[in-house]
Amino acid sequence: MNQPLPSFSSDAVVRIRSQSLRGRNLISGVTDKVSLAIGEPDFDTPQVIVEAQIEALRAGYTHYSPQEGRAELVDAILKTAVAVADKGFSSENILVTHGGAAGLTASIQGLLNPGDTVLLEDPTYSLYLDGINLAGASVRRFARGEDGAFDFNRIEQDAKGAKLIILCHPSNPTGAVISRGEWTSFADIVKRNGLFLLCDEAYEGLTYGDSPFVSALDIDGLGEHLLVSRTFSKKYAMTGWRLGYLVGDPRLIASASTVHRTFNGAINSANQIAGATALRKAGEEAQAMWRRFDKRRGLMESCLRKIPAIQFRRPDGAFYFWLQYPAGLGTSLEVAARAAQAGVMVRRGEEFGSSGKYALRLSYATDEASIVEGVARLGRVLAD
Ligand SMILES: Cc1ncc(COP(=O)(O)O)c(C=O)c1O
């Protein structure tokens, strides 16, 4: 008699599936659809970057790269992207990753043991929770108050016994950024409680407020506590290229690297040459996309101001608006499903944490006509 097979899924897979909040596409029979659900730039990758990759392939960059990243890209990261931090970083502080997602996952698996505790904002990007469940760790959530301020006393309480805090800055889904003053409080909590800090700066370069973006890398004293994850996906419209990098303490980088090489191996060589070109030569193209996003942010805000039922804050970063609506209208899954039937796709707030039960995420990474039409359709759904 043949033995029955064991489970087709590891315990880690079961843990991830049972708690994952990650988005699933809502199916609707409606064909005239406008999508405000998109999480990537609608622009093509700038030609200068595309040409650099083609040239690199022709020049023979078709072999394995070093696991930590090619010298050309690591050097460009050190000289451009993190130069502002002026911390005396060297190649030991950098790991080139398979997009932001792999950098984040490698950081989380490189640090956490089963039973560890992680502090997460609510709402926040849903990938972190899956990574934490993969590691067998658990989560404590904290939220900003209604005025948008962090409750640092509460965070300090929650930090007791925790190992890691993950911050998304600028935030997906709210577009909020962390100010220099708030960074000082986070840094104090991190140091006092012996925490590590993983800062996801996927939307670095996409901030619009009056005050400049303050990277976690610019905060004094975070040094050995800190890993920052960045990606070429958003700022350079390179989501399909799968290129990102980690910056931080060499010991944290080494741990992440051990995991990263296990899951991903070395990164596509020609893409890395193109990434170096993005950092060195695509500044103007990135600025042009940024200007379009900023304009669309204004457009979406003025359209949203016409919907009386909702509340929102003007986002300072990324390309999202986070709307709260009255609970009487139903859960975010129900409202997003009604919106889909009415021909506008949005993301349900619950995907980002329980605080999103009566919230929606709208993306303005789409053309102006879609923004106007999509928000008008949503307004009718919320008025019904
Ligand atoms: C906050 C945040 N971090 C990381 C990622 C993943 O980026 P990548 O496409 O480079 O894996 C995303 C993608 O939507 C994101 O929103």
Side-chain angles (χ1 to χ4, degrees), residues 22 38-40 97-104 124-128 167-173 200-203 229-234 238-245 318-320 347 352 361:
R22 300 219 80 190
I38 306 149
E40 63 171 329
T97 62
H98 188 258
L104 292 162
T124 198
Y125 181 48
S126 54
L127 177 75
Y128 314 136
L167 295 171
C168 188
H169 166 60
S171 161
N172 175 6
D200 181 358
E201 297 187 355
Y203 295 89
S229 171
R230 296 217 184 135
T231 172
F232 289 78
S233 293
K234 317 286 178 169
M238 290 175 71
T239 48
W241 294 65
R242 314 311 305 136
L243 193 62
Y245 58 94
F319 35 65
Y320 307 115
R347 294 291 274 271
F352 304 92
R361 191 198 76 176

Side-chain angles (χ1 to χ4, degrees), residues 63-368:
H63 298 273
Y64 283 133
S65 143
Q67 293 288 353
E68 292 71 28
R70 290 198 65 92
E72 295 91 330
L73 178 54
V74 171
D75 192 55
I77 292 167
L78 288 168
K79 296 225 168 80
T80 62
V82 305
V84 280
D86 196 20
K87 304 271 185 210
F89 285 143
S90 71
S91 58
E92 291 195 324
N93 298 92
I94 309 288
L95 175 68
V96 175
T97 62
H98 188 258
L104 292 162
T105 305
S107 305
I108 292 169
Q109 307 315 310
L111 260 176
L112 295 181
N113 292 312
D116 283 340
T117 299
V118 184
L119 295 189
L120 272 193
E121 193 176 344
D122 194 333
T124 198
Y125 181 48
S126 54
L127 177 75
Y128 314 136
L129 182 61
D130 289 6
I132 294 164
N133 277 323
L134 180 59
S138 61
V139 165
R140 278 183 208 144
R141 294 273 200 162
F142 63 90
R144 291 179 189 245
E146 286 201 353
D147 56 353
F150 289 110
D151 178 349
F152 284 109
N153 290 331
R154 163 84 201 280
I155 297 172
E156 175 98 50
Q157 290 306 311
D158 285 347
K160 307 269 176 272
K163 186 175 200 175
L164 172 68
I165 179 165
I166 304 177
L167 295 171
C168 188
H169 166 60
S171 161
N172 175 6
T174 66
V177 297
I178 299 171
S179 68
R180 193 168 277 283
E182 289 168 334
W183 268 130
T184 308
S185 304
F186 274 121
D188 287 346
I189 291 175
V190 161
K191 284 186 278 181
R192 263 198 303 272
N193 294 280
L195 293 182
F196 292 109
L197 169 64
L198 172 57
C199 188
D200 181 358
E201 297 187 355
Y203 295 89
E204 172 266 338
L206 292 173
T207 54
Y208 318 96
D210 294 334
S211 22
F213 173 73
V214 184
S215 165
L217 294 169
D218 287 335
I219 305 305
D220 286 336
L222 280 178
E224 59 183 2
H225 299 261
L226 181 65
L227 267 181
V228 168
S229 171
R230 296 217 184 135
T231 172
F232 289 78
S233 293
K234 317 286 178 169
K235 179 174 175 181
Y236 296 103
M238 290 175 71
T239 48
W241 294 65
R242 314 311 305 136
L243 193 62
Y245 58 94
L246 292 172
V247 190
D249 178 88
R251 291 159 294 183
L252 295 176
I253 291 286
S255 295
S257 178
T258 301
V259 177
H260 192 269
R261 71 172 191 225
T262 309
F263 278 81
N264 302 282
I267 299 302
N268 179 314
S269 291
N271 280 6
Q272 294 192 58
I273 301 296
T277 301
L279 293 175
R280 292 191 192 278
K281 298 191 180 155
E284 272 180 29
E285 287 84 346
Q287 271 297 105
M289 291 189 276
W290 173 88
R291 277 194 295 274
R292 292 284 298 276
F293 284 131
D294 195 18
K295 269 203 171 141
R296 291 163 174 190
R297 181 178 74 124
L299 175 65
M300 186 172 261
E301 179 177 1
S302 61
C303 295
L304 288 170
R305 295 261 172 236
K306 295 181 194 141
I307 307 180
I310 55 170
Q311 287 189 321
F312 63 91
R313 293 177 172 279
R314 178 184 297 136
D316 282 331
F319 35 65
Y320 307 115
F321 276 79
W322 179 249
L323 316 181
Q324 307 273 355
Y325 58 80
L329 293 174
T331 65
S332 68
L333 181 60
E334 292 162 348
V335 172
R338 285 211 297 277
Q341 285 308 319
V344 54
M345 311 302 289
V346 297
R347 294 291 274 271
R348 61 198 167 88
E350 284 153 292
E351 197 183 305
F352 304 92
S354 58
S355 67
K357 188 163 183 190
Y358 304 112
L360 300 171
R361 191 198 76 176
L362 268 56
S363 162
Y364 49 92
T366 188
D367 61 275
E368 285 74 1

